[in-house]
Amino acid sequence: MTTVPTSGPLAPTRSVALDPGELPARATTLLEAGYRVALIAGHDDRTGGGGLRAVYLFTRAAEVAPREEAVRESRVELHIGLDPAAPCVPSLAGMSFPAGRFEREMRDLFGITPIDHPLPQRLVRHFHWPQGWYPMLSDAGEPPGLTPGTWTRGVITRLTGA
């Protein structure tokens, strides 16, 4: 566990590295202590010699923190290291509505699968993206081109008469 001092109105941030299996219990503890899910994001650190990870940011207002607490972080970051061959995390959607949205976005952009998500449909993924192409991965390559006639769900691919 590492505490990183911050400046300005923020209290210290505590960063904790976890295995995916530890995430639900730690998230439950934080939610019960008055924290809320502020952000969930994927990170591809493979170009720098790292791997894939998911970062969960929990925040709470300072007045929610009990005065008797030795440490009164207003921000807690949970860093989950992931297997790049099969990146997945347990879903927190059942305990936090915002977590469900962030997890769906993370899946669409990074290919990190939220296991047992109650609504696993895409959120930001475009119909023309090839299966298995995730734009935020360092090895994603060039974005796919739009070819007229490739979208079959009533989406206009070309305007005429403009």
Side-chain angles (χ1 to χ4, degrees), residues 58-81:
F58 290 81
T59 61
R60 71 173 172 185
E63 60 271 8
V64 175
R67 293 188 178 181
E68 62 273 6
E69 273 191 30
V71 179
R72 289 186 220 118
E73 296 92 5
S74 63
R75 299 165 44 101
V76 175
E77 292 178 0
L78 304 179
H79 293 255
I80 316 299

Side-chain angles (χ1 to χ4, degrees), residues 148 155-162:
V155 177
I156 297 172
T157 58
R158 182 174 55 181
L159 294 175
T160 57

Side-chain angles (χ1 to χ4, degrees), residues 76-101:
V76 175
E77 292 178 0
L78 304 179
H79 293 255
I80 316 299
L82 303 171
D83 175 8
C88 59
V89 293
S91 178
L92 302 183
M95 47 180 104
S96 167
F97 177 79
R101 291 291 178 103

